[in-house]
PDB file of all heavy atoms in Angstrom:
ATOM      1  N   LEU A  19      89.229  84.301 128.125  1.00  0.00           N
ATOM      2  CA  LEU A  19      90.036  85.375 127.423  1.00  0.00           C
ATOM      3  C   LEU A  19      91.346  84.834 126.966  1.00  0.00           C
ATOM      4  O   LEU A  19      91.785  85.104 125.844  1.00  0.00           O
ATOM      5  CB  LEU A  19      90.211  86.483 128.396  1.00  0.00           C
ATOM      6  CG  LEU A  19      90.907  87.718 127.843  1.00  0.00           C
ATOM      7  CD1 LEU A  19      90.137  88.417 126.600  1.00  0.00           C
ATOM      8  CD2 LEU A  19      91.224  88.719 128.855  1.00  0.00           C
ATOM      9  N   VAL A  20      92.074  84.087 127.908  1.00  0.00           N
ATOM     10  CA  VAL A  20      93.279  83.508 127.518  1.00  0.00           C
ATOM     11  C   VAL A  20      93.181  82.560 126.418  1.00  0.00           C
ATOM     12  O   VAL A  20      94.005  82.534 125.351  1.00  0.00           O
ATOM     13  CB  VAL A  20      93.892  82.771 128.804  1.00  0.00           C
ATOM     14  CG1 VAL A  20      95.154  81.989 128.424  1.00  0.00           C
ATOM     15  CG2 VAL A  20      94.392  83.824 129.850  1.00  0.00           C
ATOM     16  N   ALA A  21      92.130  81.744 126.413  1.00  0.00           N
ATOM     17  CA  ALA A  21      91.989  80.816 125.348  1.00  0.00           C
ATOM     18  C   ALA A  21      91.664  81.483 124.023  1.00  0.00           C
ATOM     19  O   ALA A  21      92.206  81.169 122.910  1.00  0.00           O
ATOM     20  CB  ALA A  21      90.762  79.829 125.612  1.00  0.00           C
ATOM     21  N   THR A  22      90.889  82.550 124.009  1.00  0.00           N
ATOM     22  CA  THR A  22      90.584  83.295 122.774  1.00  0.00           C
ATOM     23  C   THR A  22      91.903  83.938 122.234  1.00  0.00           C
ATOM     24  O   THR A  22      92.137  83.848 121.050  1.00  0.00           O
ATOM     25  CB  THR A  22      89.574  84.393 123.108  1.00  0.00           C
ATOM     26  OG1 THR A  22      88.478  83.810 123.741  1.00  0.00           O
ATOM     27  CG2 THR A  22      89.096  85.140 121.853  1.00  0.00           C
ATOM     28  N   VAL A  23      92.707  84.607 123.177  1.00  0.00           N
ATOM     29  CA  VAL A  23      93.815  85.305 122.734  1.00  0.00           C
ATOM     30  C   VAL A  23      94.816  84.277 122.138  1.00  0.00           C
ATOM     31  O   VAL A  23      95.466  84.444 121.088  1.00  0.00           O
ATOM     32  CB  VAL A  23      94.503  86.067 123.872  1.00  0.00           C
ATOM     33  CG1 VAL A  23      95.889  86.547 123.521  1.00  0.00           C
ATOM     34  CG2 VAL A  23      93.711  87.276 124.262  1.00  0.00           C
ATOM     35  N   SER A  24      94.930  83.155 122.838  1.00  0.00           N
ATOM     36  CA  SER A  24      95.908  82.016 122.399  1.00  0.00           C
ATOM     37  C   SER A  24      95.420  81.501 121.021  1.00  0.00           C
ATOM     38  O   SER A  24      96.251  81.232 120.139  1.00  0.00           O
ATOM     39  CB  SER A  24      95.900  81.036 123.440  1.00  0.00           C
ATOM     40  OG  SER A  24      96.252  79.809 122.940  1.00  0.00           O
ATOM     41  N   PHE A  25      94.110  81.296 120.850  1.00  0.00           N
ATOM     42  CA  PHE A  25      93.609  80.788 119.566  1.00  0.00           C
ATOM     43  C   PHE A  25      93.887  81.784 118.413  1.00  0.00           C
ATOM     44  O   PHE A  25      94.304  81.429 117.422  1.00  0.00           O
ATOM     45  CB  PHE A  25      92.005  80.629 119.661  1.00  0.00           C
ATOM     46  CG  PHE A  25      91.354  80.252 118.392  1.00  0.00           C
ATOM     47  CD1 PHE A  25      91.509  78.975 117.876  1.00  0.00           C
ATOM     48  CD2 PHE A  25      90.624  81.282 117.709  1.00  0.00           C
ATOM     49  CE1 PHE A  25      90.853  78.656 116.694  1.00  0.00           C
ATOM     50  CE2 PHE A  25      90.058  80.900 116.512  1.00  0.00           C
ATOM     51  CZ  PHE A  25      90.115  79.690 116.006  1.00  0.00           C
ATOM     52  N   ALA A  26      93.664  83.068 118.699  1.00  0.00           N
ATOM     53  CA  ALA A  26      93.923  84.075 117.702  1.00  0.00           C
ATOM     54  C   ALA A  26      95.406  84.156 117.390  1.00  0.00           C
ATOM     55  O   ALA A  26      95.840  84.248 116.171  1.00  0.00           O
ATOM     56  CB  ALA A  26      93.549  85.529 118.235  1.00  0.00           C
ATOM     57  N   ALA A  27      96.215  83.979 118.369  1.00  0.00           N
ATOM     58  CA  ALA A  27      97.751  84.012 118.193  1.00  0.00           C
ATOM     59  C   ALA A  27      98.069  82.752 117.328  1.00  0.00           C
ATOM     60  O   ALA A  27      98.913  82.964 116.382  1.00  0.00           O
ATOM     61  CB  ALA A  27      98.478  83.995 119.462  1.00  0.00           C
ATOM     62  N   ASP A  28      97.501  81.625 117.615  1.00  0.00           N
ATOM     63  CA  ASP A  28      97.833  80.428 116.842  1.00  0.00           C
ATOM     64  C   ASP A  28      97.391  80.604 115.345  1.00  0.00           C
ATOM     65  O   ASP A  28      98.095  80.266 114.470  1.00  0.00           O
ATOM     66  CB  ASP A  28      96.975  79.263 117.403  1.00  0.00           C
ATOM     67  CG  ASP A  28      97.658  78.738 118.713  1.00  0.00           C
ATOM     68  OD1 ASP A  28      98.810  79.200 119.100  1.00  0.00           O
ATOM     69  OD2 ASP A  28      97.089  77.949 119.402  1.00  0.00           O
ATOM     70  N   MET A  29      96.196  81.195 115.199  1.00  0.00           N
ATOM     71  CA  MET A  29      95.710  81.368 113.914  1.00  0.00           C
ATOM     72  C   MET A  29      96.596  82.413 113.106  1.00  0.00           C
ATOM     73  O   MET A  29      96.771  82.245 111.949  1.00  0.00           O
ATOM     74  CB  MET A  29      94.252  81.858 113.895  1.00  0.00           C
ATOM     75  CG  MET A  29      93.263  80.838 114.330  1.00  0.00           C
ATOM     76  SD  MET A  29      93.192  79.334 113.294  1.00  0.00           S
ATOM     77  CE  MET A  29      94.089  78.180 114.351  1.00  0.00           C
ATOM     78  N   GLY A  30      97.067  83.379 113.816  1.00  0.00           N
ATOM     79  CA  GLY A  30      97.926  84.339 113.210  1.00  0.00           C
ATOM     80  C   GLY A  30      99.214  83.717 112.761  1.00  0.00           C
ATOM     81  O   GLY A  30      99.765  83.946 111.628  1.00  0.00           O
ATOM     82  N   MET A  31      99.760  82.889 113.631  1.00  0.00           N
ATOM     83  CA  MET A  31     101.032  82.151 113.247  1.00  0.00           C
ATOM     84  C   MET A  31     100.808  81.224 112.046  1.00  0.00           C
ATOM     85  O   MET A  31     101.624  81.142 111.175  1.00  0.00           O
ATOM     86  CB  MET A  31     101.552  81.314 114.452  1.00  0.00           C
ATOM     87  CG  MET A  31     102.399  82.145 115.355  1.00  0.00           C
ATOM     88  SD  MET A  31     102.932  81.226 116.781  1.00  0.00           S
ATOM     89  CE  MET A  31     104.085  80.071 116.022  1.00  0.00           C
ATOM     90  N   MET A  32      99.622  80.619 112.030  1.00  0.00           N
ATOM     91  CA  MET A  32      99.303  79.674 110.943  1.00  0.00           C
ATOM     92  C   MET A  32      99.163  80.462 109.654  1.00  0.00           C
ATOM     93  O   MET A  32      99.706  80.119 108.644  1.00  0.00           O
ATOM     94  CB  MET A  32      97.943  79.033 111.299  1.00  0.00           C
ATOM     95  CG  MET A  32      97.552  77.884 110.345  1.00  0.00           C
ATOM     96  SD  MET A  32      98.581  76.429 110.473  1.00  0.00           S
ATOM     97  CE  MET A  32      97.798  75.568 111.823  1.00  0.00           C
ATOM     98  N   ALA A  33      98.470  81.653 109.740  1.00  0.00           N
ATOM     99  CA  ALA A  33      98.328  82.447 108.511  1.00  0.00           C
ATOM    100  C   ALA A  33      99.698  83.014 107.995  1.00  0.00           C
ATOM    101  O   ALA A  33      99.911  83.050 106.802  1.00  0.00           O
ATOM    102  CB  ALA A  33      97.412  83.707 108.851  1.00  0.00           C
ATOM    103  N   ALA A  34     100.580  83.430 108.948  1.00  0.00           N
ATOM    104  CA  ALA A  34     101.865  83.904 108.538  1.00  0.00           C
ATOM    105  C   ALA A  34     102.703  82.769 107.769  1.00  0.00           C
ATOM    106  O   ALA A  34     103.338  83.050 106.835  1.00  0.00           O
ATOM    107  CB  ALA A  34     102.667  84.424 109.633  1.00  0.00           C
ATOM    108  N   GLY A  35     102.547  81.562 108.337  1.00  0.00           N
ATOM    109  CA  GLY A  35     103.218  80.401 107.601  1.00  0.00           C
ATOM    110  C   GLY A  35     102.658  80.097 106.226  1.00  0.00           C
ATOM    111  O   GLY A  35     103.394  79.935 105.275  1.00  0.00           O
ATOM    112  N   GLN A  36     101.350  80.149 106.180  1.00  0.00           N
ATOM    113  CA  GLN A  36     100.646  79.904 104.873  1.00  0.00           C
ATOM    114  C   GLN A  36     101.071  81.020 103.790  1.00  0.00           C
ATOM    115  O   GLN A  36     101.219  80.723 102.663  1.00  0.00           O
ATOM    116  CB  GLN A  36      99.120  79.959 105.081  1.00  0.00           C
ATOM    117  CG  GLN A  36      98.587  78.703 105.800  1.00  0.00           C
ATOM    118  CD  GLN A  36      97.257  78.892 106.478  1.00  0.00           C
ATOM    119  OE1 GLN A  36      96.921  80.037 106.712  1.00  0.00           O
ATOM    120  NE2 GLN A  36      96.574  77.779 106.758  1.00  0.00           N
ATOM    121  N   MET A  37     101.194  82.196 104.408  1.00  0.00           N
ATOM    122  CA  MET A  37     101.609  83.423 103.607  1.00  0.00           C
ATOM    123  C   MET A  37     103.003  83.168 102.956  1.00  0.00           C
ATOM    124  O   MET A  37     103.126  83.291 101.720  1.00  0.00           O
ATOM    125  CB  MET A  37     101.539  84.621 104.374  1.00  0.00           C
ATOM    126  CG  MET A  37     101.899  85.940 103.589  1.00  0.00           C
ATOM    127  SD  MET A  37     100.543  86.546 102.652  1.00  0.00           S
ATOM    128  CE  MET A  37      99.661  87.521 103.798  1.00  0.00           C
ATOM    129  N   LYS A  38     103.897  82.687 103.797  1.00  0.00           N
ATOM    130  CA  LYS A  38     105.305  82.524 103.339  1.00  0.00           C
ATOM    131  C   LYS A  38     105.284  81.327 102.268  1.00  0.00           C
ATOM    132  O   LYS A  38     105.955  81.457 101.225  1.00  0.00           O
ATOM    133  CB  LYS A  38     106.107  82.122 104.520  1.00  0.00           C
ATOM    134  CG  LYS A  38     106.593  83.255 105.346  1.00  0.00           C
ATOM    135  CD  LYS A  38     107.820  82.946 106.144  1.00  0.00           C
ATOM    136  CE  LYS A  38     108.177  84.127 107.086  1.00  0.00           C
ATOM    137  NZ  LYS A  38     108.097  85.467 106.453  1.00  0.00           N
ATOM    138  N   THR A  39     104.534  80.350 102.496  1.00  0.00           N
ATOM    139  CA  THR A  39     104.530  79.238 101.527  1.00  0.00           C
ATOM    140  C   THR A  39     103.886  79.664 100.250  1.00  0.00           C
ATOM    141  O   THR A  39     104.380  79.321  99.079  1.00  0.00           O
ATOM    142  CB  THR A  39     103.726  78.088 102.181  1.00  0.00           C
ATOM    143  OG1 THR A  39     104.219  77.674 103.420  1.00  0.00           O
ATOM    144  CG2 THR A  39     103.752  76.752 101.261  1.00  0.00           C
ATOM    145  N   ALA A  40     102.783  80.440 100.333  1.00  0.00           N
ATOM    146  CA  ALA A  40     102.198  80.876  99.039  1.00  0.00           C
ATOM    147  C   ALA A  40     103.204  81.809  98.268  1.00  0.00           C
ATOM    148  O   ALA A  40     103.150  81.683  97.045  1.00  0.00           O
ATOM    149  CB  ALA A  40     100.857  81.625  99.400  1.00  0.00           C
ATOM    150  N   ILE A  41     103.850  82.644  98.959  1.00  0.00           N
ATOM    151  CA  ILE A  41     104.852  83.476  98.292  1.00  0.00           C
ATOM    152  C   ILE A  41     105.951  82.664  97.591  1.00  0.00           C
ATOM    153  O   ILE A  41     106.252  82.984  96.454  1.00  0.00           O
ATOM    154  CB  ILE A  41     105.417  84.554  99.246  1.00  0.00           C
ATOM    155  CG1 ILE A  41     104.391  85.571  99.663  1.00  0.00           C
ATOM    156  CG2 ILE A  41     106.662  85.194  98.612  1.00  0.00           C
ATOM    157  CD1 ILE A  41     104.803  86.389 100.878  1.00  0.00           C
ATOM    158  N   ALA A  42     106.395  81.702  98.281  1.00  0.00           N
ATOM    159  CA  ALA A  42     107.466  80.760  97.669  1.00  0.00           C
ATOM    160  C   ALA A  42     106.946  80.093  96.497  1.00  0.00           C
ATOM    161  O   ALA A  42     107.587  79.977  95.469  1.00  0.00           O
ATOM    162  CB  ALA A  42     107.878  79.782  98.772  1.00  0.00           C
ATOM    163  N   GLN A  43     105.692  79.678  96.517  1.00  0.00           N
ATOM    164  CA  GLN A  43     105.010  79.019  95.353  1.00  0.00           C
ATOM    165  C   GLN A  43     104.870  80.008  94.196  1.00  0.00           C
ATOM    166  O   GLN A  43     105.028  79.718  93.064  1.00  0.00           O
ATOM    167  CB  GLN A  43     103.623  78.456  95.709  1.00  0.00           C
ATOM    168  CG  GLN A  43     103.653  77.307  96.657  1.00  0.00           C
ATOM    169  CD  GLN A  43     104.195  76.060  95.966  1.00  0.00           C
ATOM    170  OE1 GLN A  43     104.011  75.806  94.757  1.00  0.00           O
ATOM    171  NE2 GLN A  43     104.934  75.261  96.706  1.00  0.00           N
TER     172      GLN A  43
END
Side-chain angles (χ1 to χ4, degrees):
Chain A
L19 182 65
V20 169
T22 306
V23 169
S24 153
F25 173 75
D28 286 350
M29 290 301 103
M31 278 178 66
M32 190 67 87
Q36 289 157 340
M37 181 78 87
K38 282 202 186 313
T39 306
I41 291 170
Q43 289 292 326

